[in-house]
């Protein structure tokens, strides 16, 4: 009898976690929990837990520097797969999402700088509103359901993949400290060993993961942000099967991507949201320079992403350089561009790199990201919910 009573909830849970919206909903729940705790009598315990030392690093640093390296490993694997055999495997397929993603980075950065032009100390945050949270955005698109054509999901995913690639380049180029070349060369030596394993057709995933830890250690010690190690490791994971006798066997890249995805979606990203979204609103005064930072980020996410992405797509289609997504109307493309203003995970991460923990702009950054992401999410949902599809343009 007890087993029967449990069957319903277990089946419901399995059905929920099988949906595309589930990852984004769990992330939203984790961020909401962080905000509630940070503004409750339990705030001291919440912040104490995040800053509690575990060996050489605090809990927050283990999440942001170590676990997020696995997130970036997954991002790297997805980017590599999409570029080599997915939706971005040809230049023709890359053109529309490519120009949209680039403009979706430039416009928010310019708007943020405009709001903070008289505040040089805040200029380091220019990249905060340039990123799109794919899990959050796809969750909203999944909630809209069949009212949004599949072509919109494909375009959103492609834009987000290129957006992630740009974000990784920005982190590597602009948010790394003084570089110590000795451990960095050591990390590249380990990467060379991993390439040698590919040449020798040694297909051990465990060995590669252990070598990946060594790469992370070298990159972390070098001053380059440690999460870049995840992308570097992804680049040397083979996308083709190493066994000539089992060509149909899934490659190491597909195996690792499939194995990492649930851990990243259900543990790492929610933990990151829980550790970094909590901001105490007590005594926060968003005025002067801090107000400009929060307002600049929020408006850059909402309007910058919308103007950059929708404008780029509209112009590219008008001049015949690309076609509107099949079966999607212009209002639906407008709604998709709104969803791209959901910055959350990557924006919070870049905010930490730009201003550090406990800085004067830290809380303002989080408030701007949360406000801009929520406005973009609601705007995108409402536009997509009440828009109607159309025949593909020619």
């Amino acid at each position: 009898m007890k087993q029967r009573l449990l069957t319903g909830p277990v089946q419901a849970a399995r059905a929920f976690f099988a949906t595309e919206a589930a990852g984004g909903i769990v992330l939203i729940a984790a961020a909401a929990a962080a905000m509630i705790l940070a503004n409750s009598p339990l705030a001291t315990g919440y912040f104490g837990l995040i800053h509690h030392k575990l060996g050489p690093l605090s809990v927050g640093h283990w999440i942001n520097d170590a676990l997020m390296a696995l997130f970036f490993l997954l991002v790297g694997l997805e980017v590599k797969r999409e570029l080599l055999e997915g939706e971005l495997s040809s230049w023709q397929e890359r053109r529309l999402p490519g120009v949209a993603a680039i403009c979706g980075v430039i416009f928010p950065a310019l708007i943020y700088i405009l709001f903070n032009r008289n505040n040089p100390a805040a200029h380091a945050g220019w990249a905060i509103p340039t990123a799109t949270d794919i899990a959050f955005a796809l969750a909203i698109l999944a909630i809209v359901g069949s009212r949004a054509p599949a072509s919109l999901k494909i375009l959103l995913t492609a834009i987000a993949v290129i957006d992630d690639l740009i974000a990784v380049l920005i982190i590597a180029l602009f948010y790394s400290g003084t570089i110590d070349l000795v451990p960095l060369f050591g990390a590249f030596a380990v990467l060379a060993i991993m390439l040698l394993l590919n040449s020798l057709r040694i297909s051990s995933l465990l060995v590669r993961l252990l070598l990946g830890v060594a790469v992370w250690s070298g990159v972390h010690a070098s001053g380059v942000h440690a999460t870049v190690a995840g992308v570097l490791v992804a680049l040397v994971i083979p996308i083709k099967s190493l066994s000539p006798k089992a060509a149909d066997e899934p490659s190491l890249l597909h195996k690792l991507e499939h194995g990492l995805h649930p851990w990243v979606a259900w543990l790492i990203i929610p933990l990151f949201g829980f550790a970094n979204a909590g901001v105490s609103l007590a005594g926060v005064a968003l005025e002067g320079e801090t107000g400009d930072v929060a307002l600049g980020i929020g408006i850059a996410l909402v309007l910058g992403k919308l103007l950059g992405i929708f404008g780029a797509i509209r112009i590219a289609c008008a001049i015949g350089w690309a076609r509107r997504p099949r079966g999607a109307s212009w209002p639906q493309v407008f709604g998709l561009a709104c969803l791209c203003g959901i910055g959350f995970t990557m924006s919070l991460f870049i905010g930490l790199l730009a201003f550090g923990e406990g800085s004067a702009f830290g809380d303002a950054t989080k408030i701007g990201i949360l406000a801009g992401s929520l406005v973009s999410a609601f705007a995108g949902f409402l536009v997509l919910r009440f828009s109607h599809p159309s025949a593909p343009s020619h």
Side-chain angles (χ1 to χ4, degrees):
M1 181 67 177
K2 186 176 181 180
Q3 186 174 0
R4 289 182 180 177
L5 290 174
L6 289 174
T7 301
V10 169
Q11 289 179 338
R14 287 177 177 173
F16 168 74
F17 285 109
T19 64
E20 290 181 316
I25 292 172
V26 171
L27 174 57
I28 295 168
M35 283 294 292
I36 292 170
L37 286 173
N39 293 278
S40 74
L42 299 175
T44 302
Y46 166 76
F47 289 110
L49 173 64
I50 301 304
H51 295 101
H52 179 71
K53 281 281 187 177
L54 281 179
L57 302 175
S58 67
V59 171
H61 279 110
W62 278 116
I63 294 171
N64 296 334
D65 290 353
L67 289 183
M68 284 298 284
L70 294 175
F71 165 74
F72 278 89
L73 172 58
L74 181 61
V75 167
L77 294 171
E78 290 175 342
V79 168
K80 183 174 180 178
R81 174 177 51 77
E82 291 292 342
L83 288 174
L84 294 181
E85 59 180 30
E87 298 295 336
L88 302 173
S89 57
S90 71
W91 284 108
Q92 185 175 0
E93 293 168 324
R94 295 169 191 161
R95 285 192 305 188
L96 183 60
V99 71
I102 291 170
C103 291
V105 168
I106 293 172
F107 275 69
L110 291 176
I111 289 175
Y112 175 86
I113 291 296
L114 179 64
F115 270 87
N116 293 276
R117 61 190 180 279
N118 297 322
N119 183 13
H123 289 177
W126 66 271
I128 294 172
T130 62
T132 294
D133 190 308
I134 183 60
F136 208 149
L138 284 178
I140 303 298
L141 199 59
I143 291 171
V144 174
S146 59
R147 298 186 67 87
S151 60
L152 283 184
K153 178 187 173 184
I154 294 172
L155 179 59
L156 176 61
T157 303
I159 291 173
V161 166
I162 298 173
D163 188 275
D164 283 343
L165 180 58
I166 295 172
V168 170
L169 292 174
I170 288 173
I171 290 170
L173 295 175
F174 298 100
Y175 294 107
S176 293
T178 303
I179 298 176
D180 185 343
L181 294 179
V182 174
L184 188 61
F185 284 148
F188 277 100
V190 177
L191 290 170
I193 294 173
M194 297 177 75
L195 287 173
L196 180 61
L197 294 179
N198 298 344
S199 300
L200 297 175
R201 295 189 176 277
I202 297 174
S203 59
S204 172
L205 193 55
L206 177 59
V207 171
R208 284 174 172 81
L209 290 175
L210 292 174
L211 290 172
V213 174
V215 173
W216 178 87
S217 299
V219 172
H220 184 269
S222 73
V224 176
H225 199 272
T227 51
V228 175
V231 179
L232 293 175
V233 170
L235 293 178
V236 298
I237 299 295
I239 196 170
K240 301 295 184 184
S241 175
L242 295 178
S243 174
K245 296 181 179 179
D248 295 334
E249 180 183 326
S251 68
L252 291 180
L253 185 145
H254 292 95
K255 288 180 180 178
L256 186 55
E257 183 182 357
H258 181 75
L260 273 178
H261 189 272
W263 289 99
V264 170
W266 310 124
L267 178 65
I268 294 174
I269 293 302
L271 272 177
F272 176 83
F274 180 77
N276 294 285
V279 51
S280 176
L281 301 178
V284 173
L286 294 180
E287 56 188 12
E289 293 181 348
T290 56
D292 290 341
V293 168
L295 195 60
I297 291 171
I299 292 180
L301 283 171
V302 177
L303 290 183
K305 281 289 187 181
L306 176 60
L307 292 173
I309 291 175
F310 183 72
I313 294 173
R314 187 81 190 197
I315 292 172
C317 293
I319 64 176
W321 202 53
R323 291 184 178 181
R324 192 172 70 209
R326 184 178 299 276
S329 63
W330 281 118
Q332 288 178 321
V333 177
F334 185 91
L336 175 141
C338 289
L339 292 184
C340 290
I342 303 173
F344 205 71
T345 304
M346 196 71 83
S347 293
L348 285 172
F349 188 80
I350 295 175
L352 284 171
L353 301 181
F355 298 128
E357 292 186 26
S359 72
F361 298 131
D363 288 346
T365 296
K366 293 179 181 180
I367 291 172
I369 292 169
L370 291 171
S373 296
L374 287 174
V375 170
S376 296
F378 279 113
F381 171 78
L382 290 175
V383 172
L384 289 169
R385 174 65 179 80
F386 295 105
S387 297
H388 299 286
S390 70
S393 60
H394 296 283

